[in-house]
Amino acid sequence: MKSVRDYKESLEKLSRKVYAMGKLVDNTVEHPLVQPSWRSVALSYDLAEHEEHEDLMTAYSPLTGGTINRFTHIQQDREDLTRKIKMLRLMGQRTGSCFQRCAGLDCINTLYSVTHDIDNAHGTSYHRRFLDFLFRVQSEDLVCDAAMTDPKGNRRLPPYQQHDPDLYLRVVDRNNEGIIVRGAKAHQTGALNSHYIVALPTTMMGEKDRDYVVSFAVPADAPGVSFVYGRQPSDTRRLEEGGKDAGNLYFGGHEALIIFEDVFVPHELIFMDGEYEFTPVLVERFASYHRASYGGCKVGVGDVLIGATGCMARYHGIEKSSHVRDKLVEMNYLNETLYSCGLASSCAGTQLASGNYFVDPLLANVCKLNVTRLPFEIARLAQDICGGIMVTLPSDQDFQHPQISELLKKYYQGIEEIDTATKVQMIRLVENLTLGSGASAYLTESVHGAGSPQAQRIMIERNMNLEHKMELARSLLQAPPF
Ligand code: SF4
Ligand code: FE
């Protein structure tokens, strides 16, 4: 497994075209906007080296025959599915942000089974190619960007009917060595911290969409690939001196747009090419894996927010008020509800034909639908307890100003035992998670990440087996046979 230092060096070796705030970025790892998100991913390497976390952070790989980072592991049983959720909660607790590496994990688990299924139906050799790629990912401890979401243009129209054919990533040419692809992938979590981009079709597609039905891997620095960093609320606070008003001082997440300008992909890295009838199963598997993941990562971030809110209640001197205690209970109840769903979808997981395990799709979608709502209520309660000070507090520069520093410390002090600087920093953390750059992951991503709420409702409708439930009701109208 890689150390944090190895990971850092491996990213620095990539020669990529990256834009952020209108400038080309040389070294993303050192860039103040990107560094916190790099650090979040780096923690997945760091924790894997700690003995107390080895159960959660590492796993035995039947493919390499050795110990690997769990973020590259193919889940072999329900225990693996469950440990993944626990690992994600731990990572959320330690970063208070999106740590990005799980999208790639869910992507490789999806491709493991879907390539197997396509081969069975078509006699292709995608699974073998995928295993070769996976061997590299596991043995070199790589980060994969799960490149699923296309820009989509007019969302009423399928890919082949878009006014601009590049609005979904597609194959534009072929030669003896491979394919040439053009298009873009949007909202790419952790794109700049990834070694490989693994593309997947984003929606169910039909025969006329064949050129858009493509899954492949390319190195992040493949010729023709470029990245544009996506803004987050209050992100430029990271560029201010000291950067303290950013709130989450060391960790963060990021998304980027990835553009493919006629990128060559060799045959050995193509995992799907035109088999449109497998797009529903591919989308359902990836979505379900990732929707269950939110029952781990967002819960860990929720733990941090609850903790920050508890601190604020104490610093304000209101921690013993019955309504404050009740609100903290409510926050915990909501947070653990999400965790229960993440664990339940794992415990009810089933084995696929390829041998690896899949979460229960109904419970995974219930999990994610709850995630689209409950963090907002948790955030509302945090803001309730924290108070309006969160949005009226002077800047860190004012707190440093020689003329007013002492006065600000005096008037912003809470209980006597806690110095003002600690209280202010805690307020900034709540602000980060509920309004600032952290809210893009804790709140907006909770709505749209792994698919927007309506996508979960569709999946719940598909899996809810209403006919069976109607039959149960009808049967109670009949006398029992005894
Ligand atoms: Fe991982 Fe959660 Fe971020 Fe998705 S939102 S990449 S599951 S931390
Ligand atoms: Fe996400």
Side-chain angles (χ1 to χ4, degrees), residues 17-214:
K17 210 200 273 179
V18 177
Y19 297 89
M21 309 278 297
K23 295 198 176 83
L24 267 174
V25 177
D26 269 348
N27 185 340
T28 57
V29 173
E30 302 290 348
H31 192 286
L33 285 177
V34 188
Q35 190 176 54
S37 70
W38 168 78
R39 216 179 261 122
S40 295
V41 183
L43 191 78
S44 71
Y45 291 92
D46 181 60
L47 290 183
E49 292 188 326
H50 292 231
E51 216 183 310
E52 72 266 34
H53 298 307
E54 84 186 2
D55 271 6
L56 293 188
M57 299 301 302
T58 66
Y60 169 77
S61 165
L63 184 62
T64 66
T67 301
I68 56 167
N69 192 300
R70 189 172 291 281
F71 276 102
T72 67
H73 185 50
I74 300 299
Q75 285 116 28
Q76 306 293 315
D77 52 26
R78 292 185 192 96
E79 183 61 28
D80 270 344
L81 291 171
T82 307
R83 283 187 197 196
K84 180 190 87 169
I85 299 296
K86 292 180 179 175
M87 168 177 77
L88 302 191
R89 184 172 189 169
L90 173 69
M91 288 286 295
Q93 289 172 337
R94 297 302 180 89
T95 60
S97 71
C98 168
F99 38 87
Q100 309 140 57
R101 206 175 171 184
C102 5
L105 169 62
D106 294 333
C107 169
I108 58 175
N109 274 273
T110 301
L111 282 173
Y112 187 90
S113 64
V114 175
T115 52
H116 174 274
D117 296 351
I118 299 176
D119 286 359
N120 268 356
H122 290 280
T124 40
S125 52
Y126 295 128
H127 193 61
R128 183 68 257 155
R129 290 177 189 174
F130 178 72
L131 290 184
D132 289 343
F133 172 66
L134 180 65
F135 186 88
R136 272 202 70 193
V137 170
Q138 292 188 339
S139 53
E140 295 176 31
D141 203 358
L142 301 177
V143 178
C144 295
D145 173 282
M148 190 175 224
T149 310
D150 296 79
K152 295 189 192 139
N154 181 341
R155 292 171 190 215
R156 278 199 180 280
L157 301 176
Y160 82 95
Q161 282 184 339
Q162 295 289 329
H163 71 276
D164 181 334
D166 299 340
L167 286 169
Y168 283 75
L169 181 72
R170 63 185 180 126
V171 179
V172 291
D173 206 357
R174 295 170 185 280
N175 59 35
N176 290 340
E177 277 81 49
I179 56 175
I180 317 291
V181 296
R182 187 188 304 157
K185 292 286 185 180
H187 323 300
Q188 288 306 297
T189 299
L192 305 179
N193 298 321
S194 302
H195 302 101
Y196 268 88
I197 303 161
V198 184
L200 307 164
T202 192
T203 185
M204 296 177 210
M205 294 186 191
E207 197 173 352
K208 290 181 176 158
D209 297 313
R210 264 183 193 278
D211 288 341
Y212 296 89
V213 180
V214 63

Side-chain angles (χ1 to χ4, degrees), residues 189 290 294 445 449:
T189 299
H290 206 49
Y294 278 49
E445 195 191 25

